[in-house]
Amino acid sequence: MRTLWNSVWHDRRGAAMAELAAAMPVLVILLLGGVEISRFAMLNQKIDRLATTMGDLVAQADTLTESDVDKVFLAAEHVAWPFPVKTKAAIIISSISIPPDQTAARLTWQKFSSGGISAAVTSKIGSIGATPALPSGMVVTGANTLIVSEVYFDFEPMFVGQLMSAHRIYHRAFFRPRVGSLTTLN
């Protein structure tokens, strides 16, 4: 009996398989976590780039119509690819200036993208006619106008509830118009 026990005890043929079975859950969690964190970081970069691009495209115009802004929103799909901005995002473009009959800056116009989560979000800058909520130190003076683009995106992890939870991402960008004042949206 003792020789049988010694031969079983010293047999190492299945050791690698047992070690792999023990390490496999940890390796899978590390792999999935790496994929999810990389995807989240890339999404944040894309949404930041989207806010910057939308504001920059609007700030380049000398005059704007609602149709022009809708065309700018169409570019969002290409900027944020491969993420589905049509169904998971909302884009808000706002113009802030000092109206001729007033002394304080007001939000003069605002345009929301259609579809996606647009009905479920509001601008953190404010609503039309209200005093805008700007970061400290940012002011609008005289004939200056400020274009603000805000982007919301509902992030849903691929492996729901396992490594990360779903939440809303928000980025914004501020631009001064280059040519026109952009105080009205025709």
Side-chain angles (χ1 to χ4, degrees), residues 24-154:
M24 188 59 79
V26 174
L27 295 174
V28 168
I29 288 173
L30 287 174
L31 175 68
L32 296 179
V35 167
E36 201 65 77
I37 289 170
S38 298
R39 187 172 163 262
F40 182 74
M42 188 169 99
L43 174 63
N44 266 294
Q45 289 176 341
K46 290 280 189 172
I47 298 306
D48 187 52
R49 172 83 38 97
L50 181 60
T52 302
T53 302
M54 295 293 104
D56 189 36
L57 286 172
V58 169
Q60 290 178 27
D62 55 344
T63 61
L64 278 175
T65 64
E66 288 197 32
S67 174
D68 293 335
V69 179
D70 287 336
K71 290 175 186 171
V72 169
F73 290 147
L74 291 176
E77 290 179 58
H78 303 287
V79 175
W81 185 87
F83 299 100
V85 295
K86 222 175 204 180
T87 57
K88 301 279 185 194
I91 305 167
I92 306 167
I93 306 289
S94 305
S95 174
I96 300 169
S97 62
I98 301 175
D101 59 337
Q102 297 182 8
T103 58
R106 298 280 183 244
L107 210 143
T108 53
W109 61 263
Q110 195 168 61
K111 179 81 170 141
F112 284 70
S113 62
S114 61
I117 60 169
S118 294
V121 298
T122 58
S123 172
K124 290 186 179 183
I125 300 299
S127 58
I128 296 174
T131 301
L134 296 173
S136 63
M138 184 173 285
V139 294
V140 178
T141 58
N144 290 330
T145 302
L146 187 63
I147 300 297
V148 183
S149 65
E150 301 172 89
V151 178
Y152 292 88
F153 190 93
D154 281 347

Side-chain angles (χ1 to χ4, degrees), residues 150-165:
E150 301 172 89
V151 178
Y152 292 88
F153 190 93
D154 281 347
F155 171 72
E156 292 180 19
M158 290 189 315
F159 313 106
V160 179
Q162 303 301 317
L163 304 169
M164 298 178 82
S165 62

